[in-house]
Amino acid sequence: MALSTETIIAQVIVDGILNGCLYAIIAIGLAMIWGVVEIINFAHGEFLMIAAFLSYLLYIYLGLDPILSIPLAFITTFALGYLVQKTIINRILNAPFLSQIFATFALVLIIRNGFFVSFGPDIRVITTWYSEAVIDIYGVRISLVKLLIALMAVAFTLILQLFLTKTYLGTAIRAIAQDRVAAQLMGVDIEKVYAIAFGLGAGLAGIGGAMLASFYYIFPEMGIPFTLIAFISVVLGGFGNILGPAIGAVIVGLTQGLGAIILTPSMKDIVVYLVFLALLLVKPTGIFSR
């Protein structure tokens, strides 16, 4: 039976919002590193990939559901991010911009090729009882796993917002993002906060990776498209808060849905890139930046 125009539009909106919620948790992590440490972390997607592989291994060898592996994925990627900040990023903070780019890009190659050597290029998939489950509401089909992920992404975002606004450490992170020198003069330990901010950013990517493991393909290069989406979401939404990148991510999700209808599903990202390019020309600081 052919779907009505209203049902198709509702389906696009629902899918776009659900996908956008997942993109949001990844984009917020990138925005935190970018906004606080002032480093463009090209290895963001690799932390996501590490978490996805961790969830896969926990599922295969221990039978642990990928959703339940999220806390361990966050802790692991947080620790890795903290370590990377302490051992690599701290040493290049005052280096030329190109050196910083090359350093994080080298990290991408090291991690990705390390996983290629260790696990090979094969694509892995986790199949759970809810992987293919859908909820039908008046003809609009809602993926159960994406609905669960969207709800968790919203919950994690609210927890992060509370952390940033209600704790001393969160306040220190926001202070450094606004004015590094003033925060240092007020006694904030810059290096410690940088390491925690980088760890949190990597940890959020890890949460995204564990979420993706429940329905997406797992392979060493899986982080590439999500890094790109995170960059576009952050630029769309702007810096300085977590709401901007989150809204930018939902815009990306909705634009992908429209692109799938206007063009074809395989070319849906072209519309996203066109919107991204148009925004760069009109308002390069992002929609919600001053």
Side-chain angles (χ1 to χ4, degrees), residues 84-95 100 103 191:
V84 165
Q85 169 65 29
K86 282 286 190 183
T87 57
I88 300 175
I89 304 300
N90 264 347
R91 299 173 185 272
I92 59 168
L93 280 178
N94 297 316
Q100 296 176 351
E191 287 195 6

Side-chain angles (χ1 to χ4, degrees), residues 24-35:
I25 204 74
I26 303 168
I28 290 171
L30 182 70
M32 175 162 290
I33 295 172
W34 200 339

Side-chain angles (χ1 to χ4, degrees), residues 216-233:
Y216 193 76
Y217 304 117
I218 302 166
F219 57 103
E221 292 181 315
M222 66 178 289
I224 296 175
F226 295 101
T227 300
L228 190 55
I229 287 172
F231 274 114
I232 293 174
S233 301

